[in-house]
Amino acid sequence: MFPQLAEVTSLHLEKRGASPIQVEIGIKKGLPLFHLLGNASQGMKESKDRIRIAMEASGFSFPMDTIVVNLSPSHLAKKCAFLDLAIAIGILKATGQANCSFPENTIILGSLGLNGKLQGGRDLLPLLWFRHFSPSDTVILPSSLRGEIIPQGNYIFLESLNDLSFPAPVETTKENKLPVAEGGSQESWDSAFLSDSQMRALNQLCIAALGRHHTLLIGNPGEGKTMLAKMVRSLLPDWTKEEVESIFKENLSSHFFGKGLEMSKRPFRSPHHTCTEQSLVGGGTPIQWGEVSLAHGGVLFLDELGEFKERSIESLREPMEEKTIHITRVNGKEILPADCMILGAMNPCPCGNYGGTIQCHCSLLQMRTYYKKLSGPFWDRICLVVSLFANEEKRKVLIKENEMKQRLNAGFQFRQKRLAKEKYKKETNFIREDLLEDYLKKNKINNFSFRKRRDWMSLSRTIADWNLSSEIEGKHFLEAFEMISSGNWLQKNC
């Protein structure tokens, strides 16, 4: 005897967005068994008892036969419970118990309670916004989402399984914008008193954050390195419309927005120094994102950089240069984004007192051993070194968060407009090579690599953006040279 067959479509949230899941139902005469196939998790397998009680509580009969549910494609691990409604409708459709005359391209989402009520709140929103629907698609949702901001499309809202016995109307929603909150949950510091050195360091960090230049904060303990990094965290501008569209286009949305799409601030990742190489750059089976990819578009803060494992630090060299990571494993290959600013913080020597008011007793050999984890190629990728040593300065400079954020936002918007204008034409504000050579000879600098010269040009352009200047002026060039060459003393000691 031929089995009773039915097929419905649902969605599953995975690392590259929302992917369609084909729920195939097969019912045949035999022992009362329920088989859930297709790489379903243990939590998903518990849904069979929940679906049975929900169907019986809604007045339907659960077939006491062999039921086989196949979730295709089988290579994706299914962990969510939003497939309950799709499985239940598939069983009712196969047994002919309910009026399931839905449109042809119908996607079913929602979980079930034991009383047959449909469940699913804001946790379902990422599945809707991270999936590109066609005009002919119709989505079945719990009625609790009727008042939420959902993308434009055709929807059928159900209160419980009982609603399947009646023709369900199709509602068409208007075009909505992505419901990303503007406030975010980042730490706020309102106002603070800083010393002149700390104020100068904060300005340099803001310039580095504007152009995503890799930076090293180095100074004595207790001088505010971590404090300044966290202050920059709250100053980062919000995502632009173009960046959000790019994230959705590349199906990276699930990594940048949390449940209910409430995460709007740029990422600021601060892993502990005991983290492994894989947790920092990604990998594993299946391939998981690392901290440098999760910081895409924001800041990766490595506090106590000298305490990180040498292999972990060296693994950052490729993403610092290429802005992407190529992960290759036996089961596949993936290119992960890594366009972020890497901000490190460390002491100048093992005791931490070098260059400060307290006498340092570390020998040159001890200092070289301390910096041994940071190789020459890694140093070359650090654009600027911000020094913060102990002195007798008083914290008398009042700085307000709103004012600094407005200035950073102004520079960011100016930079975005400039890049939009120069998108289809070549950059004309290059620094003359002969002028660069004159400065190198004048300051007796022979170790400026090609990468350092390129960073010099890029930093000069960023400083011009910070000052809302369309062209690179001589003062911008000089300031960039001072910022880049400020770490020469450190490389000489290494």
Side-chain angles (χ1 to χ4, degrees):
M1 185 176 182
F2 293 104
Q4 299 168 294
L5 302 176
E7 182 177 346
V8 295
T9 304
S10 185
L11 293 178
H12 177 66
L13 189 65
E14 47 108 15
K15 60 186 178 181
R16 282 287 180 176
S19 57
I21 297 294
Q22 299 299 322
V23 182
E24 301 173 329
I25 309 294
I27 304 175
K28 66 176 183 178
K29 295 294 183 180
L31 296 176
L33 300 175
F34 192 106
H35 298 290
L36 190 58
L37 311 179
N39 201 3
S41 64
Q42 184 61 36
M44 275 292 302
K45 293 180 179 179
E46 296 175 355
S47 64
K48 59 183 180 181
D49 297 322
R50 186 166 55 246
I51 293 172
R52 176 178 178 177
I53 298 298
M55 290 178 59
E56 293 176 350
S58 302
F60 300 105
S61 62
F62 190 82
M64 301 303 293
D65 298 317
T66 300
I67 303 174
V68 179
V69 178
N70 182 42
L71 306 178
S72 178
S74 59
H75 69 276
L76 294 178
K78 290 81 177 179
K79 300 179 181 179
C80 68
F82 298 136
L83 301 178
D84 289 1
L85 181 59
I87 296 175
I89 291 179
I91 294 175
L92 295 175
K93 186 177 180 180
T95 56
Q97 297 187 62
N99 178 24
C100 298
S101 57
F102 300 123
E104 182 178 357
N105 298 326
T106 300
I107 298 173
I108 305 172
L109 291 172
S111 57
L112 291 172
L114 296 182
N115 57 358
K117 297 289 185 180
L118 269 63
Q119 298 177 351
R122 295 178 61 84
D123 293 351
L124 275 172
L125 291 181
L127 284 167
L128 300 178
W129 284 100
F130 298 167
R131 174 68 181 169
H132 300 285
F133 295 104
S134 64
S136 60
D137 290 337
T138 302
V139 186
I140 298 179
L141 294 175
S143 59
S144 59
L145 290 177
R146 181 178 271 111
E148 297 289 345
I149 300 177
I150 54 180
Q152 183 181 15
N154 305 316
Y155 297 93
I156 297 176
F157 296 98
L158 301 179
E159 183 73 26
S160 65
L161 285 178
N162 290 324
D163 296 342
L164 295 174
S165 302
F166 309 96
V170 178
E171 302 179 19
T172 302
T173 61
K174 61 181 181 179
E175 183 178 0
N176 293 316
K177 295 182 179 181
L178 180 67
V180 180
E182 296 182 356
S185 59
Q186 300 286 9
E187 299 179 3
S188 178
W189 44 275
D190 190 26
S191 62
F193 282 95
L194 303 179
S195 65
D196 292 336
S197 300
Q198 291 173 337
M199 185 63 199
R200 183 167 54 254
L202 181 61
N203 279 326
Q204 293 181 357
L205 289 180
C206 289
I207 293 174
L210 178 61
R212 293 180 193 166
H213 302 289
H214 305 308
T215 307
L216 177 62
L217 260 172
I218 187 165
N220 305 126
E223 290 304 308
K225 299 186 296 296
T226 304
M227 177 194 69
L228 293 179
K230 291 183 177 180
M231 291 175 70
V232 173
R233 174 182 185 176
S234 64
L235 300 178
L236 296 176
D238 294 331
W239 295 101
T240 64
K241 180 181 178 181
E242 293 76 13
E243 288 175 319
V244 174
E245 291 177 352
S246 175
I247 288 173
F248 274 84
K249 184 178 180 180
E250 298 175 9
N251 293 326
L252 308 175
S253 315
S254 58
H255 292 280
F256 297 101
F257 301 97
K259 294 182 178 180
L261 308 177
E262 295 175 349
M263 181 177 175
S264 66
K265 295 292 292 183
R266 291 182 181 274
F268 184 95
R269 308 290 297 188
S270 181
H272 193 259
H273 59 78
T274 56
C275 69
T276 62
E277 177 186 0
Q278 180 173 313
S279 65
L280 198 59
V281 298
T285 305
I287 297 176
Q288 300 293 327
W289 283 33
E291 291 290 335
V292 69
S293 296
L294 294 174
H296 176 72
V299 177
L300 176 62
F301 179 48
L302 304 178
D303 201 3
E304 301 297 341
L305 180 62
E307 302 299 327
F308 279 77
K309 298 181 179 65
E310 185 176 356
R311 287 177 56 89
S312 299
I313 297 176
E314 292 302 305
S315 65
L316 294 174
R317 285 162 52 179
E318 288 82 0
M320 290 173 70
E321 183 78 14
E322 303 295 335
K323 306 298 183 182
T324 57
I325 302 177
H326 295 254
I327 303 293
T328 304
R329 295 294 183 267
V330 175
N331 296 332
K333 177 182 179 181
E334 191 166 349
I335 301 177
L336 306 181
D339 187 5
C340 66
M341 167 192 172
I342 293 182
L343 175 59
M346 63 185 302
N347 297 328
C349 65
C351 74
N353 297 324
Y354 178 83
T357 56
I358 303 177
Q359 185 178 0
C360 173
H361 298 282
C362 299
S363 65
L364 184 59
L365 178 61
Q366 289 176 317
M367 292 185 65
R368 288 180 174 175
T369 304
Y370 180 70
Y371 292 115
K372 187 177 180 181
K373 290 183 179 180
L374 309 182
S375 65
F378 180 83
W379 275 115
D380 200 41
R381 286 166 171 81
I382 297 295
C383 182
L384 65 148
V385 177
V386 179
S387 302
L388 201 62
F389 293 109
N391 50 50
E392 302 297 332
E393 295 178 354
K394 302 296 183 182
R395 296 192 178 187
K396 57 183 180 180
V397 181
L398 176 62
I399 181 173
K400 296 184 178 180
E401 179 185 12
N402 291 336
E403 295 177 356
M404 288 297 297
K405 190 169 184 178
Q406 288 176 3
R407 183 173 183 186
L408 184 57
N409 281 331
F412 182 75
Q413 293 174 6
F414 179 86
R415 185 181 181 88
Q416 293 299 315
K417 292 179 181 179
R418 179 183 61 81
L419 292 176
K421 293 179 181 178
E422 298 171 354
K423 184 176 181 180
Y424 301 105
K425 66 178 182 179
K426 294 182 179 180
E427 173 70 65
T428 58
N429 291 319
F430 284 117
I431 298 172
R432 295 186 313 176
E433 190 70 19
D434 57 345
L435 185 60
L436 186 144
E437 291 293 340
D438 290 341
Y439 272 94
L440 293 179
K441 293 179 180 179
K442 181 179 178 181
N443 292 273
K444 299 180 180 180
I445 298 175
N446 300 320
N447 58 346
F448 255 32
S449 64
F450 174 79
R451 185 183 289 112
K452 279 295 182 183
R453 301 184 183 199
R454 185 188 58 190
D455 290 343
W456 191 353
M457 299 178 186
S458 177
L459 184 58
S460 301
R461 180 63 264 179
T462 303
I463 294 175
D465 293 335
W466 173 256
N467 292 280
L468 308 182
S469 174
S470 58
E471 296 183 0
I472 303 176
E473 301 177 4
K475 58 182 180 180
H476 305 148
F477 180 55
L478 290 174
E479 185 176 353
F481 175 78
E482 292 177 359
M483 292 173 64
I484 286 185
S485 59
S486 61
N488 289 341
W489 65 269
L490 187 59
Q491 296 187 19
K492 290 179 180 178
N493 290 338
C494 295

